[in-house]
Amino acid sequence: MAKIMSSTDPLVVGRVVGDVIDSFIPSVRMAVTFNPNRQVFNGHELFPSWVTSKPKVEVLGGDLRSSFTLVMIDPDAPGPSDPYLREHLHWIVTDIPGTTDATFGKEVVSYEMPRPNIGIHRFVFVLFKQKIRQAVKAPTSRNGFSTRKFAEEYDLGLPVAALFFNAQRETAARRR
C-alpha cells in the first residue's frame, strides 16, 4: 500500500498535490460514496445534482486506537482560471474512528454541496491521521481556507489518503 507518488498518480496529474497538499505516502484507503452508489474515483466527473447530500466516507486500514480528520475543499473557487477564493471549504469532520466512517465523527463544519458556476472544479477529500483527540474550531469563513495551514495548526502532518472528483455547472442538455 505504501508507495511514493509518481508523476502519473491522478492526484499529481490533477494538481491536487501542489495546489492543495504536498506529496505524501498513502497509508490507509478512503472510500467516498454519494447516494445512490456513486463512488468517487480520482479525476472522474460527478454531476452536482448527484452530490447534494453528504457522502459516506469510509476509512479502510485504520484501527480502533486511531482517529482521523476529513477535510473537503474546492481549490478552484470561484473559477479555475482565477481561483481567488482558493480554497473554498465544503466540510470538516474530526475524531472519525479508524474502523468506521465519517458519520461516526464530529462534524465541525457542515457539508455544503458543490455549486460550480464557471469551468470544471476539483472537489478534494483529504484525510489526516490525528495524533490526539482535540477540539477543532470552525474557521470564520469557508473562503480562503488552507488545508496546509489547517494541518499545521492542528499538528496533523501529511495526509494519509486523498481523493478528488471533478464537477461543472449542469445545463438542461447535460442532465439528460
Side-chain angles (χ1 to χ4, degrees):
M1 179 72 182
K3 64 178 177 70
I4 295 174
M5 295 188 151
S6 72
S7 60
T8 59
D9 187 294
L11 293 167
V12 174
V13 174
R15 296 182 341 273
V16 170
V17 169
D19 286 354
V20 180
I21 54 177
D22 295 323
S23 187
F24 68 99
I25 298 172
S27 58
V28 298
R29 280 188 343 129
M30 173 174 52
V32 179
T33 310
F34 287 92
N35 281 332
N37 299 323
R38 296 195 194 279
Q39 189 167 353
V40 173
F41 294 100
N42 278 323
H44 287 210
E45 183 174 7
L46 297 178
F47 294 118
S49 60
W50 295 352
V51 296
T52 56
S53 301
K54 65 182 159 187
K56 179 177 183 178
V57 178
E58 295 173 282
V59 177
L60 309 161
D63 59 51
L64 290 169
R65 294 164 299 182
S66 50
S67 295
F68 296 87
T69 294
L70 174 74
V71 175
M72 178 187 174
I73 57 98
D74 172 359
D76 301 314
S81 62
D82 186 19
Y84 64 86
L85 297 178
R86 174 178 288 168
E87 301 164 14
H88 182 82
L89 179 64
H90 281 267
W91 199 25
I92 296 178
V93 183
T94 63
D95 297 332
I96 301 166
T99 56
T100 184
D101 63 63
T103 57
F104 292 95
K106 179 183 173 203
E107 194 172 61
V108 176
V109 175
S110 63
Y111 178 78
E112 177 183 273
M113 69 175 274
R115 289 188 188 95
N117 282 326
I118 304 164
I120 298 170
H121 290 238
R122 297 164 293 165
F123 293 91
V124 183
F125 296 90
V126 183
L127 189 70
F128 296 96
K129 185 173 183 179
Q130 295 173 208
K131 293 177 181 157
I132 58 170
R133 286 186 176 252
Q134 58 189 336
V136 172
K137 295 184 187 114
T140 53
S141 171
R142 288 182 184 256
N143 291 325
F145 183 80
S146 169
T147 301
R148 284 185 180 99
K149 286 181 184 166
F150 175 81
E152 190 177 302
E153 181 178 348
Y154 292 103
D155 193 27
L156 295 170
L158 289 172
V160 294
L163 268 173
F164 81 103
F165 68 91
N166 294 317
Q168 59 186 310
R169 186 177 182 168
E170 288 182 70
T171 62
R174 289 187 73 230
R175 284 193 198 117
R176 283 191 206 131

